[in-house]
Amino acid sequence: MSETMEPAHPGKNPNAEDRQDAADAKSARSSAKLTDVAAAAGVSLATASKALNNRRGVSRRNRDAVLRAAQAVGYLEYESQSPRTLPSTVTLFTYGRMVGNDAFYGDIIDGIVSEATVQGVTVEVSILDEALSKRGERTWKTLPKAAILMGIDEPRLLEEMQQGGIPGVLVNGIDQSMNFPSVAPDYYFGGWAATRHLLDLGHTDILHVTHVYRVSIAQREIGFRDALESAGIAFDHARHILDLGSTDMISMNAGPAVAKHLAGMERRPTALFCVSDVVAMSAIQAIRDMGLSIPDDISVVGFDGLPIGAHAMPSLTTVGIDRRELGIAAVKLLAERASFPDSPAKRISIGVELLNRQSTAPARKG
């Protein structure tokens, strides 16, 4: 004996009903508003707006909650229905030593991934062979659909991307040909501000410890030189510059070279402006080993604003950089470039600030 199953809703086609339910759900999701996101995440409307626009003042926990809520209620899905300007995957190219330098580049990567998530884009990281790149040889098998070059600005790579019509942006780098947009800290102003700080403390005999191998390093030196000359001090390369000689020396290996140079000078400088925080900390250790005091005998300023500098003894006066903002700005600039590929390339300089700590003091008189 068989039974006949009655439809749950007599007179209605189940398939048609399913389609209608799906359409209703889609309509509900597409009408999601920012207030829905805030309610689902359990945060204020202002917090939800800040999180979705990658603004400051939102904790990582709340930011993640807002992004999850936006996806759950369909807000991001609805927003993404507008014409996509970027491919679904963007390739982040960098060198191995930069990935290993988490103290500096980790925050930039965090900003890149955060903004990419907001824009519905996945970021994949590709490590290039630095030796091949600097020789101008091909370092990737296939061209990416869109690229972020982090700490890389070799002309040959940029030329190859331009020929392939690949939208790209440089973060912490500069395309001297101005074919690609770039975002970087204001290295010139940083160099000027660091030197101006020492000048204001009464230091007139200042040594810049550096090795110019990239435009961004040269900009620090130009800022240093201009600050000296604006104070009426004639720039003398032999007196004012210590060239460390190689990129390997822009590290904790710099100390011995600094000590040797200082020991050989007829008149020892009263202050050092170092190209980076790690060079500055290495220099401080070398100066101490010479039996001198920081900052009583020599004041020292670094560059980068790494967290470790705040905990050094003495705490390091340095030039601070909002590295996460660099990453956020890079993705936004790349999206703009993808939308308007024929527009002129932009160079964006992110402001820096002097962090005045214990490693600098007024110059001794006499």
Side-chain angles (χ1 to χ4, degrees):
M1 183 176 179
S2 64
E3 293 184 359
T4 302
M5 298 296 295
E6 294 292 330
H9 302 282
K12 290 186 178 181
N13 184 328
N15 292 332
E17 186 173 6
D18 289 343
R19 287 195 296 272
Q20 183 60 48
D21 288 344
D24 291 343
K26 182 177 181 181
S27 176
R29 289 172 66 83
S30 66
S31 63
K33 297 180 175 60
L34 187 59
T35 51
D36 301 320
V37 176
V43 300
S44 68
L45 189 63
T47 296
S49 177
K50 286 181 181 179
L52 290 172
N53 288 284
N54 260 315
R55 295 183 185 138
R56 297 181 181 178
V58 182
S59 68
R60 183 183 295 274
R61 180 178 179 181
N62 281 344
R63 192 181 300 276
D64 291 344
V66 169
L67 290 175
R68 288 194 298 270
Q71 293 173 336
V73 303
Y75 185 79
L76 289 183
E77 177 181 323
Y78 173 65
E79 293 294 301
S80 68
Q81 289 174 8
S82 58
R84 179 177 291 278
T85 58
L86 285 173
S88 58
T89 300
V90 171
T91 305
L92 170 61
F93 290 104
T94 190
Y95 296 138
R97 64 182 173 85
M98 293 170 182
V99 175
N101 183 8
D102 186 63
F104 185 88
Y105 283 100
D107 289 338
I108 296 179
I109 295 173
D110 181 62
I112 289 172
V113 173
S114 177
E115 178 61 25
T117 300
V118 170
Q119 301 216 20
V121 173
T122 299
V123 177
E124 63 176 24
V125 178
S126 179
I127 308 299
L128 299 183
D129 186 316
E130 186 169 4
L132 291 178
S133 175
K134 290 187 180 300
R135 290 200 299 266
E137 298 180 29
R138 179 187 290 272
T139 57
W140 46 42
K141 294 182 180 179
T142 57
L143 286 173
K145 295 179 180 178
I148 299 173
L149 301 183
M150 187 175 72
I152 298 175
D153 46 21
E154 270 68 46
R156 182 68 187 89
L157 297 180
L158 298 175
E159 181 182 344
E160 191 172 340
M161 284 183 55
Q162 184 186 18
Q163 291 174 350
I166 307 301
V169 64
L170 283 66
V171 57
N172 203 39
I174 293 175
D175 176 16
Q176 292 180 281
S177 299
M178 286 294 287
N179 292 317
F180 289 92
S182 61
V183 56
D186 193 330
Y187 285 116
Y188 171 85
F189 175 74
W192 186 92
T195 311
R196 187 68 254 176
H197 170 68
L198 293 171
L199 290 166
D200 289 343
L201 289 173
H203 296 278
T204 57
D205 203 344
I206 307 170
L207 180 69
H208 181 32
V209 184
T210 187
H211 172 61
V212 177
Y213 73 101
R214 295 183 63 200
V215 174
S216 59
I217 306 294
Q219 288 178 325
R220 292 169 169 87
E221 183 179 314
I222 296 170
F224 166 74
R225 183 189 66 199
D226 286 356
L228 289 182
E229 293 184 342
S230 70
I233 300 172
F235 175 75
D236 180 350
H237 192 279
R239 174 186 170 197
H240 292 122
I241 298 293
L242 166 57
D243 188 340
L244 293 171
S246 75
T247 57
D248 292 337
M249 295 296 286
I250 302 182
S251 66
M252 290 302 292
N253 297 325
V258 172
K260 181 179 179 181
H261 187 81
L262 293 178
M265 296 184 74
E266 182 177 346
R267 186 178 67 194
R268 191 177 65 217
T270 63
L272 268 59
F273 164 41
C274 298
V275 69
S276 71
D277 284 353
V278 291
V279 169
M281 288 187 286
S282 182
I284 287 174
Q285 185 59 55
I287 292 168
R288 280 177 167 170
D289 291 344
M290 296 173 68
L292 300 173
S293 172
I294 305 294
D296 294 336
D297 293 312
I298 300 180
S299 288
V300 177
V301 179
F303 201 109
D304 287 339
L306 299 184
I308 193 172
H311 305 289
M313 293 295 291
S315 57
L316 181 65
T317 297
T318 185
V319 176
I321 298 169
D322 190 337
R323 293 180 293 278
R324 191 172 187 276
E325 182 61 30
L326 288 175
I328 292 171
V331 176
K332 290 181 177 179
L333 199 55
L334 180 61
E336 180 182 328
R337 185 65 166 177
S339 298
F340 306 99
D342 296 326
S343 63
K346 294 180 179 179
R347 284 181 183 165
I348 295 179
S349 291
I350 301 296
V352 298
E353 62 175 331
L354 184 83
L355 304 177
N356 187 8
R357 298 182 181 138
Q358 299 170 341
S359 66
T360 53
R364 282 184 173 181
K365 294 182 179 180

